[in-house]
Amino acid sequence: MLYQEKTVPLKNGIMGVFRGPRPEDAAETIAFLQKACGETDFLARYPEEMAYTEERERAYLGEIVQSRDAMMIVCTVDGKIAGNCQIVFMNSAKTRHRAAVMIGLLKEYWGLGIGSAMLWELEQAARSRGIHQLELEVIEGNERAMSLYRKMGFSVMAEHPDAFILKDGSHRKAIFMRKIL
C-alpha cells in the first residue's frame, strides 16, 4: 500500500519527511535496521541477526508498496532514514477488524515527536480501512515506548512471560497492547 509523502514538523524545529519506501532505499534500510537494533535491547533482533541482502530488501520494499494488506512509512530527516513504521492488516473473515503496528526509530531522533506522528498516520490508515483494533507488542522494560503507546491510547491486554532472552541471560516479557478505534 502506497503512502502519500508529507512533511512533518519535529520538536527541534527541523522538518521530517514521511514517505513510502522505495526499492532504492534497500541498502540504507538495512543499515538503519542494524543500527537501530544495536542501540537498544527493546527491538526483536540483534544487529548480527539482520542477514538481509540488498536484493532481498529491495524486493521486500517493492512488495510492501504493492500490498493491499500492509503499509510502511519511512521517516527521513535531512535525507537520512531516521525511522520507519508499518501496519499489517489482518485479512481473514474473523480477524479483518484488526491490524498490527510496528515502529523503529534511531536513538538520536528519540523525543522529537516522530513516534507519535508515525502512530497517528498508521491509525489514520487503519480508520480509512475500517479497522476497529490496533495491536502491538513491546518488550518488558521499554518504558519510553510504553509511555508513548499509552499517550496514543493503547492499553495492555496480555503478557507473555519469558518471551525474550537477552544476551546477558535475563528474561523479558512480551507485553501486548491494543487500541480500540
Side-chain angles (χ1 to χ4, degrees):
M1 179 178 292
L2 186 59
Y3 175 81
Q4 295 300 313
E5 185 172 309
K6 78 170 43 172
T7 303
V8 179
L10 306 181
K11 289 181 181 178
N12 64 359
I14 294 174
M15 299 302 277
V17 175
F18 284 12
R19 62 171 176 79
R22 301 173 184 148
E24 60 268 23
D25 291 332
E28 188 178 357
T29 299
I30 293 168
F32 157 76
L33 291 169
Q34 289 175 328
K35 183 174 183 185
C37 288
E39 291 179 333
T40 180
D41 280 334
F42 298 124
L43 294 176
R45 292 186 176 93
Y46 287 112
E48 60 271 17
E49 295 177 289
M50 310 300 280
Y52 303 143
T53 65
E54 277 189 55
E55 182 179 325
R56 180 176 166 224
E57 189 65 15
R58 189 176 298 108
Y60 176 72
L61 295 175
E63 288 168 13
I64 288 288
V65 171
Q66 298 300 318
S67 175
R68 282 192 21 81
D69 295 320
M71 181 182 76
M72 180 185 288
I73 301 171
V74 174
C75 172
T76 63
V77 177
D78 294 328
K80 175 183 161 192
I81 295 178
N84 71 17
C85 61
Q86 189 170 342
I87 187 166
V88 177
F89 301 101
M90 313 277 178
N91 60 17
S92 75
K94 293 181 180 182
T95 62
R96 68 174 51 118
H97 65 287
R98 298 167 44 206
V101 296
M102 295 142 271
I103 186 169
L105 191 60
L106 293 178
K107 196 172 194 172
E108 65 190 279
Y109 300 102
W110 291 359
L112 297 179
I114 295 171
S116 297
M118 286 197 297
L119 285 171
W120 190 86
E121 292 293 328
L122 295 177
E123 182 176 330
Q124 299 319 300
R127 287 181 185 280
S128 73
R129 176 96 172 225
I131 298 298
H132 300 286
Q133 181 170 298
L134 288 179
E135 304 170 3
L136 59 83
E137 180 180 347
V138 62
I139 297 175
E140 174 186 21
N142 192 350
E143 296 306 321
R144 177 180 283 279
M146 294 281 292
S147 177
L148 168 64
Y149 301 146
R150 284 188 184 103
K151 177 181 91 171
M152 298 299 291
F154 286 81
S155 59
V156 173
M157 65 174 168
E159 296 180 351
H160 179 174
D162 302 323
F164 299 94
I165 301 176
L166 304 184
K167 286 181 177 179
D168 67 5
S170 64
H171 292 233
R172 301 286 175 97
K173 297 179 210 171
I175 300 170
F176 297 94
M177 300 182 80
R178 73 177 181 167
K179 179 177 182 175
I180 303 299
L181 303 180

